[in-house]
Amino acid sequence: MTTAATTRSATVLDINGKRLSPVAIRRGMVVNMAAGALGQSWFALALGMPLIMFMERVGAAGVVIGLMAMVQSLAMVMQIPSALVAERVASRKKFWFWVLIPHRLLWFAPVFLALHFGRDPRVGWFLLAVVTISSMLASAGTASWYSWMMDLIPERVRGRFWSIRQSVVMLANLLSMVIAGWLLDAEWGGKDSSETMVGFALVYLLAATFGCADILLHTTVPEPQRRRVNLTGKVLASLREPFRNRDFLWVTLAFGMWNFSLGFARFGEVYLKRECGAKYSDLSALFISTALGCVVASYVWSRIMDRIGNRTACMLMFVVAPVFALAWWLAPAGDVALAFLPGQPVVPKIIVVLFAGNFFAAAFYSCTGLVQITLCSATTTPENRTLAMALHWTVVGLMGALGPVLGGVVMDLWEQTDFGLLLPFGLPFSYQHVLVLLHMLICWLIALPLLRKVQKGHGELPVSTFMGNPLRVMGVIQNIMLFSGAVSAKERARAVTQAGTLRLSYAVDDLREKLDDPSMLVRQNAVAALGRIGTDAAVQVLLDKLADPDSDLAPAIARALRSSRQPGVVDALLAKMKVGDQETIREIALTLGCLGDRRAADALLETLRSSDNPQLLSSSGEALASLDEETAVFEILARMRSSGNPVLRRSLAVAAGDLLGGRGRFYALLVQEEKEPSGSAFAECLSDLRSFLKKAGTDAAARRRCAECLEQFEDAYANGELRQAGEMLISGGILLASLHLGLTAVTDRDVLLDMLICRDSHLGVGVWLCNMLVIDGGALDVVYILLVLHFFRQWCLRRQGLLRGG
């Protein structure tokens, strides 16, 4: 595609064919949020707690209250014809306006009903008619609004937009509940709030005003040109098409059962008002708690839903959310004074319990709405998405419509009986507890198994990740939020490090992207994190980056692979070793030593022979020692003797000591001797030599001479006379070996050494060391003497079979 074509494809045009600038789009999104806040205020005041309390005040039966909820669900069937019409009209915004404005104007009717009829049971039926007509009109406008918004909001910011919008509208919900509770509990004209309907009239006057303002404000949001949709096929075929995708079917049925079970929860306010004596302000407080939970949850879940997978997020909601309904069973009876509030109001204890429980419950229940839209979109095609969404909501609405009706029947039947049962904390067992139990069982036994049938998405986390250690779960959530919200190098580096510390295998794809981060700190932390995770996928990411000639992470990758045993790691490291710089080769050499694969021995020996870099010599020597490459000891000792670098000499001496007498023993001797010269470690070495001497051979005179050499060696070493100490150690060691092999009669030293080597090949290394001491006696390093002492000690221990060294 050409550049011009790309530009045209990315340009958003309004309904008149004019270009919509990014500024205009952002302004439209902001207006949408503001209008949404007004719309949520209408919803909270018109259809929230005030509606149920209105019905309770006028004495409506439970069946009527159930029908009120049922018609709202049944009205969703209007989405199907409206979706077909919305795709054919010239302007979706105008269609939506003329459908929605009558829907909101209808809510001035409850103002008249409250003031004219008062507490008349017939008001319940009149209000049911208002709700029915209003719900049908509202559902008729849903499809066109959804299509309009999806074309306006850029795809790259949709998740963030919807999460911010939800926070804004829930804050409006919170404020509306405060206003509703105050208006309904206030005294009007000197009358108690329970004796007048003025409070309800004012609430619905505000609701209708806010609702109409929402529609009018929405008209200023720009309308983009619609995406062309092929609707030439038959309607029935179009309706059947979404269900060909089994995932769409399972999602629809799962949410249908979820909404069906939620219908049982619509009678909690009635129970609290009639059975527990709750005030309207108490009920408003519960809605406020719910709104606060939604605000917090929208911030958290919007950041982690995409990361953990929408199916996993939804299953988690279905598992955890119903647990909070147990608050109805565990709440205590009686009242409590809230001493921390002005006036110390007295409220039922169950209100306090539910206030806390609703906050956390809302954090999980609110997530299902966001996940529901995403799951449905993911299981449909763009060409048929609007109609498919309308179909989904219709089926869900039809299934959910039965819940409130059955709940109302249970409520009416229960009020005609008296079982006289009490819950563990004193509350009487009532219809609300039965409905809560039914909700939990339907969610866990029907809705959850249906949702599990949906195919697992790529990179989706298993639900078990969030069902284990709570501290680990919190760490996982915190890390996901850090990944999604980090805007500084420090924050991103911290998120990357935490992913490695927690070994979060799901973060491999995120860490892959961080390998190209502008910050070197982030890149190196990402490499270390992948190494700690250590899965096949994580190692493969590191190997791919190791093969990248433009990457500057080869040394860090080599370090990260030191505990990896996956096939191909050694081959990749050896290949990089041929073309890497000195730092890379050094780190690869150490890693090859850690991995213990003897295929690396030749490459390491070549580095040891050819390099003059002290760091490369040190690392390759250490790696060869880790591989137990005994033939390398002569190369190591040669480089050790030729080096004037005392640090390198000690490093090579440690490698040689590992090859001569066991891993780590000479290092322990060297470290302890540096801390305490001629100390316990040195004394233990001499003790082992003397112990071996007591049983070596039968020549008493040779044994005495050997003992004298060891004593003179000890004195000279303690006095810092290294040349003399070296000579005595050589003499004593050779005598000790000749005693053991029965060669004390040989007086020519050169002949004796040849015979010792022939009898015991391992002594060849000792002879080499002795020659080094003789040659370099004038500028002798203490490490030479300790190395020879270590060698003879380990040789003696091997002969005795003790092997008890450091």
Side-chain angles (χ1 to χ4, degrees):
M1 182 182 291
T2 65
T3 303
T6 304
T7 303
R8 286 195 302 270
S9 64
T11 300
V12 180
L13 304 178
D14 67 10
I15 195 172
N16 298 317
K18 296 180 180 180
R19 178 179 176 273
L20 278 175
S21 67
V23 174
I25 294 175
R26 286 195 297 269
R27 186 186 300 116
M29 293 165 61
V30 171
V31 171
N32 176 277
M33 290 184 188
L38 292 171
Q40 185 64 30
S41 296
W42 163 83
F43 179 85
L45 295 172
L47 296 177
M49 177 271 294
L51 178 62
I52 301 297
M53 292 298 96
F54 198 140
M55 301 293 285
E56 189 275 337
R57 173 66 64 83
V58 299
V63 172
V64 178
I65 298 175
L67 287 172
M68 187 82 68
M70 183 189 75
V71 296
Q72 295 178 53
S73 298
L74 289 177
M76 291 185 180
V77 74
M78 292 297 296
Q79 292 194 34
I80 295 178
S82 69
L84 296 173
V85 174
E87 295 298 344
R88 289 177 168 84
V89 297
S91 172
R92 290 166 292 180
K93 181 164 69 171
K94 291 181 179 179
F95 172 79
W96 177 81
F97 174 82
W98 290 112
V99 170
L100 266 290
I101 196 65
H103 145 68
R104 297 294 171 84
L105 289 172
L106 275 172
W107 287 94
F108 284 105
V111 180
F112 170 76
L113 295 174
L115 296 177
H116 181 72
F117 288 96
R119 300 177 63 181
D120 188 334
R122 292 178 301 170
V123 171
W125 292 102
F126 294 145
L127 199 55
L128 177 61
V130 172
V131 172
T132 301
I133 300 172
S134 173
S135 299
M136 293 177 66
L137 292 173
S139 295
T142 300
S144 57
W145 185 86
Y146 179 83
S147 175
W148 170 18
M149 291 301 115
M150 289 302 100
D151 285 346
L152 175 68
I153 303 166
E155 185 174 0
R156 66 183 183 278
V157 298
R158 282 178 187 170
R160 179 173 176 79
F161 169 79
W162 291 117
S163 64
I164 295 175
R165 186 180 190 275
Q166 185 180 41
S167 297
V168 172
V169 300
M170 292 312 297
L171 285 173
N173 184 299
L174 186 154
L175 295 175
S176 299
M177 285 297 97
V178 172
I179 295 173
W182 175 71
L183 290 176
L184 294 179
D185 273 338
E187 294 184 0
W188 301 100
K191 293 184 178 181
D192 186 83
S193 60
S194 62
E195 300 176 358
T196 178
M197 298 293 289
V198 174
F200 285 101
L202 292 175
V203 166
Y204 279 96
L205 179 62
L206 278 178
T209 302
F210 286 150
C212 293
D214 165 30
I215 305 302
L216 295 174
L217 187 58
H218 249 105
T219 58
T220 64
V221 177
E223 178 184 2
Q225 286 185 349
R226 72 177 69 246
R227 297 176 182 177
R228 297 300 175 185
V229 180
N230 183 13
L231 293 175
T232 58
K234 297 181 179 179
V235 173
L236 291 179
S238 299
L239 295 178
R240 288 194 300 266
E241 183 63 27
F243 290 107
R244 296 184 183 274
N245 185 336
R246 288 297 178 183
D247 286 345
F248 178 82
L249 173 63
W250 301 132
V251 168
T252 301
L253 293 178
F255 276 99
M257 295 308 302
W258 172 263
N259 280 23
F260 171 72
S261 70
L262 287 178
F264 297 137
R266 293 179 178 266
F267 299 89
E269 291 84 1
V270 178
Y271 168 77
L272 291 173
K273 190 74 174 63
R274 292 182 179 178
E275 308 295 334
C276 302
K279 299 178 182 178
Y280 294 119
S281 55
D282 297 337
L283 301 180
S284 297
L286 297 183
F287 279 87
I288 291 170
S289 174
T290 301
L292 288 173
C294 290
V295 171
V296 175
S298 64
Y299 174 77
V300 175
W301 288 116
S302 64
R303 291 176 176 266
I304 72 173
M305 278 194 310
D306 293 337
R307 188 68 221 69
I308 70 175
N310 290 289
R311 173 181 173 272
T312 295
C314 193
M315 291 180 65
L316 188 64
M317 301 306 106
F318 281 14
V319 170
V320 179
V323 174
F324 292 97
L326 289 174
W328 291 93
W329 286 70
L330 303 178
D335 298 329
V336 61
L338 303 180
F340 56 89
L341 292 179
Q344 299 185 359
V346 177
V347 300
K349 292 181 180 178
I350 189 174
I351 294 294
V352 178
V353 173
L354 292 178
F355 183 88
N358 280 11
F359 177 85
F360 295 101
F364 289 89
Y365 278 100
S366 64
C367 182
T368 58
L370 297 174
V371 176
Q372 184 176 7
I373 295 175
T374 308
L375 280 176
C376 289
S377 298
T379 54
T380 58
T381 59
E383 293 78 13
N384 200 29
R385 183 162 295 159
T386 302
L387 184 59
M389 290 294 292
L391 186 61
H392 166 83
W393 286 109
T394 298
V395 174
V396 169
L398 291 174
M399 295 177 67
L402 298 176
V405 175
L406 293 179
V409 172
V410 171
M411 173 183 164
D412 288 342
L413 292 176
W414 193 276
E415 290 183 338
Q416 298 174 12
T417 60
D418 184 11
F419 290 95
L421 299 177
L422 292 178
L423 294 175
F425 295 98
L427 280 176
F429 185 63
S430 182
Y431 59 87
Q432 176 64 14
H433 305 101
V434 176
L435 296 177
V436 164
L437 182 61
L438 289 174
H439 164 63
M440 298 169 68
L441 293 176
I442 292 172
C443 288
W444 290 335
L445 301 181
I446 302 178
L448 183 60
L450 287 171
L451 187 63
R452 290 185 62 185
K453 293 178 178 290
V454 178
Q455 292 184 4
K456 185 178 179 181
H458 175 69
E460 181 177 298
L461 271 67
V463 177
S464 58
T465 304
F466 297 89
M467 304 302 291
N469 186 336
L471 294 178
R472 177 177 171 82
V473 171
M474 293 304 297
V476 170
I477 294 176
Q478 180 192 20
N479 184 258
I480 293 174
M481 293 181 67
L482 279 175
F483 261 118
S484 62
V487 294
S488 69
K490 184 177 180 180
E491 291 175 345
R492 184 168 288 185
R494 183 157 61 95
V496 166
T497 301
Q498 189 180 56
T501 302
L502 297 175
R503 290 181 170 83
L504 305 179
S505 57
Y506 69 84
V508 169
D509 289 337
D510 288 321
L511 293 172
R512 183 201 304 270
E513 297 175 359
K514 302 305 179 288
L515 295 179
D516 295 320
D517 194 88
S519 169
M520 185 64 176
L521 176 64
V522 174
R523 296 199 299 274
Q524 291 192 340
N525 285 10
V527 169
L530 287 167
R532 287 182 64 87
I533 292 172
T535 62
D536 291 344
V539 171
Q540 189 57 52
V541 169
L542 292 176
L543 294 182
D544 292 342
K545 182 55 68 173
L546 183 66
D548 184 357
D550 297 326
S551 174
D552 58 355
L553 297 173
I557 292 173
R559 287 193 296 270
L561 292 174
R562 282 177 187 162
S563 60
S564 300
R565 295 293 184 269
Q566 284 85 338
V569 171
V570 173
D571 293 332
L573 290 172
L574 290 174
K576 190 66 176 181
M577 195 173 184
K578 296 178 181 178
V579 298
D581 56 23
Q582 290 186 344
E583 183 185 6
T584 299
I585 296 173
R586 180 194 68 197
E587 298 296 340
I588 289 177
L590 292 173
T591 299
L592 291 172
C594 293
L595 296 179
D597 194 314
R598 296 189 61 83
R599 289 179 295 167
D602 291 339
L604 293 170
L605 276 170
E606 179 60 29
T607 301
L608 188 65
R609 295 189 186 106
S610 61
S611 178
D612 292 324
N613 185 289
Q615 294 178 333
L616 291 183
L617 293 175
S618 177
S619 60
S620 58
E622 184 175 335
L624 286 165
S626 299
L627 297 178
D628 291 326
E629 187 65 27
E630 293 183 359
T631 58
V633 70
F634 296 101
E635 292 288 348
I636 292 174
L637 291 173
R639 299 312 297 259
M640 175 183 169
R641 175 176 173 271
S642 64
S643 174
N645 186 330
V647 176
L648 176 59
R649 256 200 318 269
R650 281 167 169 73
S651 178
L652 292 175
V654 169
D658 287 347
L659 293 172
L660 293 173
R663 294 291 303 275
R665 291 169 183 159
F666 179 68
Y667 180 82
L669 170 63
L670 188 61
V671 171
Q672 292 180 64
E673 191 61 15
E674 288 177 348
K675 289 183 178 180
E676 185 185 3
S678 302
S680 58
F682 181 82
E684 187 177 353
C685 291
L686 284 176
S687 176
D688 288 336
L689 293 180
R690 287 167 176 152
S691 176
F692 182 79
L693 178 61
K694 293 177 181 179
K695 302 176 183 179
T698 59
D699 190 335
R703 188 181 296 116
R704 284 194 302 272
R705 290 197 306 273
C706 183
E708 291 173 356
C709 288
L710 294 178
E711 290 178 0
Q712 293 175 14
F713 160 69
E714 184 177 11
D715 292 339
Y717 181 82
N719 295 326
E721 300 172 356
L722 298 184
R723 183 182 182 87
Q724 183 182 355
E727 292 175 354
M728 291 300 101
L729 181 58
I730 291 172
S731 300
I734 293 174
L735 272 173
L736 195 61
S738 62
L739 273 168
H740 178 70
L741 298 175
L743 298 174
T744 54
V746 181
T747 57
D748 189 301
R749 188 166 184 172
D750 292 335
V751 174
L752 176 62
L753 292 177
D754 290 339
M755 294 180 69
L756 289 174
I757 293 172
C758 291
R759 293 286 189 91
D760 189 339
S761 61
H762 189 63
L763 282 172
V765 181
V767 172
W768 180 273
L769 283 171
C770 293
N771 289 333
M772 288 176 61
L773 283 175
V774 173
I775 295 171
D776 298 337
L780 198 61
D781 191 325
V782 69
V783 72
Y784 290 142
I785 295 177
L786 292 176
L787 188 58
V788 174
L789 177 63
H790 168 72
F791 167 76
F792 279 114
R793 180 204 186 192
Q794 296 302 323
W795 181 81
C796 292
L797 292 176
R798 286 183 180 180
R799 297 304 171 274
Q800 288 183 320
L802 300 179
L803 293 175
R804 72 168 188 270

